[in-house]
Amino acid sequence: MGMRIDPAVDRAVDLAIGLVVGVVVLATTHGTPHAAPLDVTATLVAAVACLVLALRRRWPLHTFLVSSVAAEAYLVFNHKTANGMLILAAPLIALYTVAESASRRRALTIGVLAVSAFAGLHMLAKPASWLGAENLALAALGGLAVAAGDGARSRREYLAEVEARALRAERDRDADARRRVTDERLRIARDLHDAVGHQLALINVQAGVAAHLLDAQPGRAREALTHVRHASRTALGELHDTIGLLRQPGDQLAPVDPVPGLTGLPDLLDTFRRSGLAVSASGLGDALDLPVPVDLTAYRVVQEALTNVCKHAGAVAVHLLLQRTGDALTIRVENAPAAHPRKAATPGVGLVGMRERVSALGGSLEAGPRPAGGYRLTAVLPLEAR
């Protein structure tokens, strides 16, 4: 931001300028050996013309008018002396302030009218000098005052615009940084839900099976606990990989596994089959040679869809279809009706996360009950991902 000056200091400086102009005018007009004697009225008029400059920043136009009238009155009282023209320096300074504080058109209008008025009065006082040196100098100095004031105003507006742009750029950078942090936080949340949440859901299901069969069928309960151990180990590994992405720059990064894709579907389906789902799949050959974003999103959609079936429907038959048509990959997951549907204790965010992932690629996702019972999820992913 620009440096601000106390208005009282500005007025003191302007008053000093007026005093200097007044002293110079009186000294050059009445301080020479053959000059006219100093008149009290002329002195008062000169003081008004010069000292009113102390108010030029607050009331520029009024100051200019008062100084101009007083300066012309002083010239009338001292029309026989040539040095009296220096009194016009006071209204010219005021004219500079008018041009600095007003628009360019207004400043030019006031400047032309003022110089014309001064020249007209001088012509009335000295008809033979309408193209004399005094009027020409007055016109040149008036134009210079207007040009200098307009230049100062333009520079001040330019600096204000530069400062405003800098502030806007800083605010935009802050907003962009906050947006990036929010996007990254949401991405990490989705990754944690898709990776770790999937394994925790399997652990929950298998732990429930083990608790139910512990007394009646210890062998199956032991098998379920083995699945719990395997899923928990996988969840810890995926959590370790995700946390590794949160390290600060310069930290030693732990090695991570490759990003999952549809090539890992057989292992994923085996995991759900061990959990009790009767999973069948078709069209796995259509899942080859996909763009990386589409491949990862398709894997996460299948993973989340099967996890939801496992949580809410239990051990039911599930069919997975992958179909590549034209420039899109269609994923359909359908499950049979559950014998004992499970109601979630709290609303899940898995479907929300899937929609966000699919929408980010420009695709669509539909999910809902089937007419014949059970549940169906259909996702369409464009191969030319955005």
Side-chain angles (χ1 to χ4, degrees), residues 352-375:
V352 175
M354 279 193 290
R355 290 189 188 279
E356 290 178 351
R357 287 184 179 274
V358 173
S359 298
L361 299 181
S364 62
L365 186 143
E366 297 180 358
R370 298 192 307 169
Y375 202 81

Side-chain angles (χ1 to χ4, degrees), residues 41-260:
T41 305
T43 302
L44 293 177
V45 172
V48 171
C50 297
L51 298 183
V52 74
L53 293 179
L55 305 175
R56 68 186 181 97
R57 300 179 192 271
R58 188 171 184 180
W59 295 297
L61 183 58
H62 297 81
T63 300
F64 171 68
L65 294 176
V66 171
S67 180
S68 299
V69 172
E72 286 298 328
Y74 178 82
L75 291 176
V76 170
F77 284 110
N78 299 277
H79 63 278
K80 295 183 180 180
T81 60
N83 295 334
M85 290 293 294
L86 289 176
I87 193 65
L88 294 178
L92 288 176
I93 294 174
L95 179 60
Y96 161 85
T97 308
V98 171
E100 183 187 22
S101 59
S103 64
R104 178 173 298 175
R105 178 177 298 180
R106 185 183 181 190
L108 288 174
T109 302
I110 294 175
V112 170
L113 292 177
V115 171
S116 300
F118 283 138
L121 291 175
H122 296 168
M123 287 169 58
L124 292 176
K126 298 179 180 180
S129 62
W130 65 279
L131 274 181
E134 294 180 356
N135 285 344
L136 292 177
L138 179 62
L141 292 175
L144 181 62
V146 172
D150 182 72
R153 177 185 53 79
S154 298
R155 181 177 182 277
R156 185 178 65 250
E157 293 177 352
Y158 171 76
L159 293 177
E161 179 64 21
V162 169
E163 290 182 356
R165 288 184 179 182
L167 290 176
R168 286 197 299 269
E170 184 177 357
R171 286 195 296 266
D172 291 342
R173 285 194 301 270
D174 292 342
D176 184 66
R178 288 193 297 269
R179 179 186 61 79
R180 290 177 181 273
V181 170
T182 300
D183 292 344
E184 185 66 13
R185 187 174 66 248
L186 293 177
R187 187 191 66 80
I188 294 173
R190 285 196 299 266
D191 287 344
L192 286 174
H193 177 272
D194 292 344
V196 181
H198 154 66
Q199 300 296 340
L200 292 179
L202 294 182
I203 292 172
N204 179 65
V205 172
Q206 293 297 332
V209 172
H212 180 68
L213 300 177
L214 185 61
D215 296 329
Q217 303 181 40
R220 291 190 58 187
R222 187 177 297 107
E223 181 182 354
L225 290 175
T226 301
H227 295 329
V228 168
R229 182 180 180 185
H230 180 270
S232 61
R233 186 187 302 115
T234 304
L236 287 173
E238 292 180 344
L239 181 61
H240 180 267
D241 294 345
T242 302
I243 293 177
L245 298 177
L246 303 179
R247 293 180 180 271
Q248 296 294 327
D251 292 344
Q252 184 177 0
L253 298 179
V256 297
D257 294 334
V259 176

Side-chain angles (χ1 to χ4, degrees), residues 200-370:
L200 292 179
L202 294 182
I203 292 172
N204 179 65
V205 172
Q206 293 297 332
V209 172
H212 180 68
L213 300 177
L214 185 61
D215 296 329
Q217 303 181 40
R220 291 190 58 187
R222 187 177 297 107
E223 181 182 354
L225 290 175
T226 301
H227 295 329
V228 168
R229 182 180 180 185
H230 180 270
S232 61
R233 186 187 302 115
T234 304
L236 287 173
E238 292 180 344
L239 181 61
H240 180 267
D241 294 345
T242 302
I243 293 177
L245 298 177
L246 303 179
R247 293 180 180 271
Q248 296 294 327
D251 292 344
Q252 184 177 0
L253 298 179
V256 297
D257 294 334
V259 176
L262 291 180
T263 55
L265 268 184
D267 294 336
L268 180 67
L269 298 183
D270 289 341
T271 301
F272 282 103
R273 291 188 182 106
R274 290 193 298 268
S275 301
L277 293 183
V279 183
S280 61
S282 60
L284 296 184
D286 290 344
L288 301 177
D289 299 327
L290 295 175
V292 174
V294 178
D295 194 28
L296 172 60
T297 301
Y299 180 88
R300 292 305 190 194
V301 168
V302 173
Q303 182 186 52
E304 180 60 27
L306 294 178
T307 301
N308 287 340
V309 173
C310 190
K311 287 194 298 185
H312 302 299
V316 297
V318 184
H319 181 68
L320 166 65
L321 170 66
L322 300 176
Q323 186 175 13
R324 190 169 183 171
T325 56
D327 57 353
L329 175 69
T330 300
I331 304 171
R332 181 174 291 112
V333 179
E334 296 180 315
N335 65 274
H340 303 286
R342 302 168 183 169
K343 185 176 181 181
T346 57
V349 297
L351 187 60
V352 175
M354 279 193 290
R355 290 189 188 279
E356 290 178 351
R357 287 184 179 274
V358 173
S359 298
L361 299 181
S364 62
L365 186 143
E366 297 180 358
R370 298 192 307 169

